[in-house]
Amino acid sequence: MLIDPELALDSDPYRSFATWYAAAESADPRPDAVALATADAGGPPSLRIVLFRGVQGGGFRFFTNYVSRKGRQLATNPYAALLFYWQPLGRQVRLEGRVEPLAPPESDAYFATRDRESQLSAWASRQSEPIASREVLMAKVEALRERFAGGDVPRPEFWGGYCLLPSQFEFWHHRENRLHDRFRYTLGAEGWLVNRLSP
Ligand SMILES: Cc1cc2nc3c(=O)[nH]c(=O)nc-3n(C[C@H](O)[C@H](O)[C@H](O)COP(=O)(O)O)c2cc1C
């Protein structure tokens, strides 16, 4: 059921997201770049861009190094926020919820779709750890290229996917004079509750 026909917002936030994402794919050169906020157990938040890799089983998927800063934070505090901003459309979508690692076969399947150089760089990078120089990194890549020569590159155990299962969505649409439209969807016992918010 449409709750706002002009913005094509549905009572189901996943349907709303699918419609808005399709529009972003036509208008934005990088619709899949999404800001991911995580935090330590009681600490301040940290933020970085990752690539959104689709919705599966209600979860918004992204892939990374499990022992990176974000990976360590998610291991101790499995709650996060995602923020899409599609400048050509004047839209943002905010999501908040619990994050779970993907099942290993799902991460294997995604890893297998990456090009070989990206597979090698996943192995080579101890993401978020200090490294002496770019040369050290490139030497690691070359050593890995030899190690895996003549065969497939398997997924490293320390690299894989997560999915964020939203308990809240917000759809924001730019309007003149800062009188923007905002719709918040909150997951309750009865399903999704929708509220229009003040800009
Ligand atoms: C456009 C763009 C896409 C990116 N995509 C990813 C990604 O999908 N996964 C990832 O781990 N890092 C990605 N990064 C790098 C992250 O922003 C970040 O530097 C890295 O994950 C380390 O973050 P952390 O130290 O907070 O764990 C991307 C950066 C940009 C600018």
Side-chain angles (χ1 to χ4, degrees), residues 78-119:
Y79 290 90
L82 289 171
L83 171 67
F84 294 89
Y85 174 49
W86 299 309
Q87 192 273 337
L89 297 175
R91 287 180 173 177
Q92 63 175 338
V93 177
R94 300 167 61 174
L95 311 174
E96 292 168 26
R98 198 180 158 81
V99 176
E100 293 176 357
L102 297 183
E106 216 182 315
S107 290
D108 291 340
Y110 177 74
F111 190 77
T113 69
R114 287 166 60 103
D115 63 64
R116 195 174 177 87
E117 292 305 309
S118 301
Q119 293 175 334

Side-chain angles (χ1 to χ4, degrees), residues 30 32-34 36 38 46-53 61-73 110 114 127-129 159-160:
R30 196 78 254 196
D32 53 351
V34 61
L36 166 73
T38 56
S46 69
L47 187 62
R48 80 290 290 156
I49 301 286
V50 293
L51 295 179
F52 164 60
R53 286 294 174 250
R61 302 191 319 160
F62 57 92
F63 291 83
T64 190
N65 183 304
Y66 286 141
V67 285
S68 62
R69 183 173 180 207
K70 72 182 93 50
R72 290 175 192 275
Q73 290 180 326
Y110 177 74
R114 287 166 60 103
Q127 195 177 50
S128 316
E129 294 297 316
W159 192 98

